[in-house]
Amino acid sequence: EVQLVESGGALVQAGESLTLSCTASGLHFGDYAMGWFHQAPGQERDGVSCISWTGDITSYKSTVKGRFTTTRDNAKNTLYLRMDNLKPEDTGMYYCAVKKGSAWRYCAGVPYSGHFGDWGQGTQVTVSS
């Protein structure tokens, strides 16, 4: 059974930084592209970033480009999201997920939730102004 466990969420002030982690088990982590998703209160889950299976290709939602960085450590089965210069609109739950389908190793631009699965339980980020 695939399990993804997100951590690192916190209450921070605007302009501060956080690093989220997602630890995976039950799959060969290094074989899959991975995505981060954001769900603001009352909103749909929205793709934030994607990273290819080797970590050499990344893509980002336009509103986080230049502020967020996604990396992975395949030896540790762990995905990261470094979030700098946080803004109140970044508030919400953050989820990681595994790329599904025929192109499971690669990203195709900003991730679409319908192409991902095995969702974690999420971690809460709250940014105060």
Side-chain angles (χ1 to χ4, degrees):
E1 180 190 0
V2 176
Q3 271 200 313
L4 301 177
V5 179
E6 300 94 337
S7 61
L11 169 63
V12 297
Q13 293 191 331
E16 293 185 338
S17 299
L18 277 178
T19 298
L20 307 184
S21 299
C22 166
T23 301
S25 60
L27 80 165
H28 194 253
F29 178 75
D31 275 351
Y32 295 90
M34 297 291 295
W36 282 103
F37 294 82
H38 169 232
Q39 188 164 20
Q43 303 294 317
E44 297 286 318
R45 197 170 297 185
D46 196 24
V48 172
S49 69
C50 183
I51 186 166
S52 64
W53 64 303
T54 56
D56 58 342
I57 298 173
T58 55
S59 58
Y60 297 92
K61 178 181 175 183
S62 60
T63 55
V64 308
K65 204 173 290 186
R67 299 190 297 122
F68 290 11
T69 305
T70 188
T71 57
R72 65 190 298 160
D73 185 336
N74 288 344
K76 295 182 178 179
N77 288 357
T78 303
L79 174 72
Y80 302 98
L81 183 67
R82 169 73 179 188
M83 310 163 74
D84 293 318
N85 189 22
L86 280 159
K87 302 179 179 182
E89 52 264 41
D90 298 321
T91 293
M93 290 291 289
Y94 283 78
Y95 300 88
C96 60
V98 182
K99 182 79 184 298
K100 300 295 186 180
S102 58
W104 68 87
R105 289 185 169 183
Y106 300 99
C107 301
V110 176
Y112 165 59
S113 60
H115 294 160
F116 287 77
D118 298 320
W119 299 90
Q121 85 290 345
T123 187
Q124 175 70 38
V125 173
T126 304
V127 185
S128 64
S129 56

